[in-house]
Amino acid sequence: MEFSHVPVLYDAVMEGLNIREGLIYADGTLGGGGHSSGICKRLNGNGTLIGIDRDTDALKAAEARLAEYTNTKHFVHSNYSDIKLVLSELNIKALDGALLDLGVSSFQLDNPERGFSYMHDAPLDMRMNEEDSLTAEIVVNEYSEEELLRIIKEYGEERWAARIAQFIVKERKKKHISSTYELVDIIKAAMPAAARRDGPHPAKRTFQAIRIEVNDELGHLRRAVDDFVDVMAPGGRLAIISFHSLEDRIVKEAFAKRQNPCTCPPELPVCVCGKKPEIKKVTHKPSVADAKELELNPRSRSAKLRIIEKL
């Protein structure tokens, strides 16, 4: 398959990052290089792009896509949450801008072999980094009913989480669950007919939940937001696109804490802790896709972009 990823909220990201020639930018979720091509174009041959991705297929595709640009480029097989280590190994002290697009790439979703999609029959995998040990198959077959309930309810916000967890445990006692379609059938059996008819695909939320667990997506995000703020140069901007309410909450709360780090009791008339704001918001409300983008790219529907600037 060709590695393609339609860059979500592209214009808002390019404008919000305020890209200037000669400076250093990081794309922590490189994907197919859609956003990064815009960054390189604006660097106009003078500046540095650091492209990070957990997926080696993404790195190869992005390197080919960005070959036409003459600015300095570093392609790094790592997790964006390791940004401090990545910069240390490149001997770079600070960034002038960075982007994190937390969406799963179209290539990963649509490639049947990767096991991300409930629309294709494939081995239960869902690893963004194929070198990781935890797979969806392990989660489905080895997690306790209580653990399955927790992740499906919390990460998938699935109303029928308890029944789905119960049905998974019941079925795996009969036979090891090894394919996406086997899991889809179990999820459908667990849900009432009316729930299957209304709303999104019955397996959507459960598959999302398992994917988040397999890749520890929320854990990496919690660590990364603060670390990216730490490594921004004054005036540097950090843009984060989230697709899930839990992701957006983590980003929003982390930004709020860095914008107002004061630890003084609310009743004190003046601040005495001495902690000063480290960032300012560029987007006071998250940017979302307009009608034109929604028509061209339905996956942008839940995207929210927040941008801050380091003081």
Side-chain angles (χ1 to χ4, degrees):
M1 282 183 66
E2 180 186 353
F3 197 113
S4 63
H5 177 65
V6 180
V8 173
L9 298 171
Y10 178 86
D11 291 337
V13 169
M14 293 302 116
E15 181 182 348
L17 282 177
N18 190 28
I19 299 156
R20 291 159 288 166
E21 291 185 31
L23 300 184
I24 303 172
Y25 296 85
D27 186 342
T29 47
L30 185 61
H35 287 110
S36 281
S37 63
I39 294 172
C40 289
K41 184 177 180 181
R42 285 159 179 77
L43 288 176
N44 197 27
N46 181 21
T48 300
L49 171 78
I50 304 162
I52 303 168
D53 209 285
R54 302 166 78 171
D55 192 323
T56 53
D57 289 335
L59 290 166
K60 290 172 191 171
E63 190 167 357
R65 180 172 184 171
L66 301 177
E68 64 181 287
Y69 300 105
T70 57
N71 58 280
T72 301
K73 299 182 288 286
H74 301 284
F75 298 96
V76 185
H77 182 221
S78 186
N79 194 300
Y80 64 78
S81 62
D82 292 325
I83 186 61
K84 289 185 174 179
L85 177 61
V86 169
L87 294 184
S88 174
E89 291 179 345
L90 293 173
N91 199 27
I92 292 173
K93 288 185 167 55
L95 297 172
D96 299 294
L99 167 68
L100 299 177
D101 175 355
L102 305 177
V104 182
S105 72
S106 302
F107 176 85
Q108 290 172 331
L109 284 174
D110 297 337
N111 185 347
E113 297 173 7
R114 300 297 291 272
F116 283 97
S117 176
Y118 42 80
M119 302 300 288
H120 305 287
D121 197 19
L124 275 171
D125 193 323
M126 301 195 195
R127 290 174 298 173
M128 292 179 180
N129 181 354
E130 292 180 286
E131 295 177 6
D132 288 346
S133 57
L134 183 62
T135 66
E137 185 174 1
I138 292 171
V139 171
V140 169
N141 288 282
E142 298 182 16
Y143 274 33
S144 69
E145 185 174 332
E146 291 74 21
E147 289 173 313
L148 288 170
L149 167 59
R150 177 186 63 80
I151 67 168
I152 296 169
K153 184 176 182 180
E154 185 178 339
Y155 299 162
E157 298 177 303
E158 172 56 70
R159 178 184 176 188
W160 303 102
R163 280 179 61 85
I164 292 167
Q166 184 183 44
F167 273 56
I168 289 172
V169 171
K170 177 183 170 185
E171 288 303 313
R172 76 189 189 193
K173 287 177 181 175
K174 303 176 190 174
K175 178 183 175 293
H176 187 84
I177 304 164
S178 58
S179 78
T180 53
Y181 274 9
E182 287 175 334
L183 181 58
V184 168
D185 287 342
I186 294 166
I187 294 166
K188 286 180 176 178
M191 296 174 71
R196 295 199 304 270
R197 283 194 302 271
D198 300 332
H201 189 285
K204 180 179 180 179
R205 295 187 180 96
T206 300
F207 269 62
Q208 171 185 278
I210 295 170
R211 189 204 78 220
I212 289 172
E213 174 67 16
V214 166
N215 296 287
D216 189 23
E217 293 175 35
L218 301 181
H220 286 295
L221 179 60
R222 287 188 186 95
R223 295 189 289 276
V225 180
D226 280 323
D227 283 357
F228 267 88
V229 172
D230 288 344
V231 301
M232 283 292 147
R237 291 187 173 186
L238 172 60
I240 303 181
I241 304 172
S242 64
F243 290 81
H244 188 288
S245 59
L246 294 176
E247 292 172 342
D248 185 56
R249 191 179 309 146
I250 289 168
V251 175
K252 182 180 178 181
E253 290 176 357
F255 283 173
K257 191 174 179 182
R258 300 300 283 261
Q259 185 181 30
N260 182 21
C262 176
T263 55
C264 296
E267 60 269 17
L268 285 184
V270 293
C271 172
V272 295
C273 73
K275 294 184 177 180
K276 303 294 183 186
E278 299 168 82
I279 64 169
K280 68 176 182 179
K281 291 180 182 176
V282 176
T283 53
H284 293 280
K285 288 185 177 180
S287 301
V288 296
D290 60 19
K292 183 180 178 182
E293 180 169 2
L294 287 172
E295 185 178 345
L296 292 171
N297 183 13
R299 285 175 178 163
S300 66
R301 185 170 304 280
S302 55
K304 290 184 177 181
L305 169 66
R306 295 184 186 272
I307 305 175
I308 55 89
E309 182 177 304
K310 186 80 172 280
L311 296 176

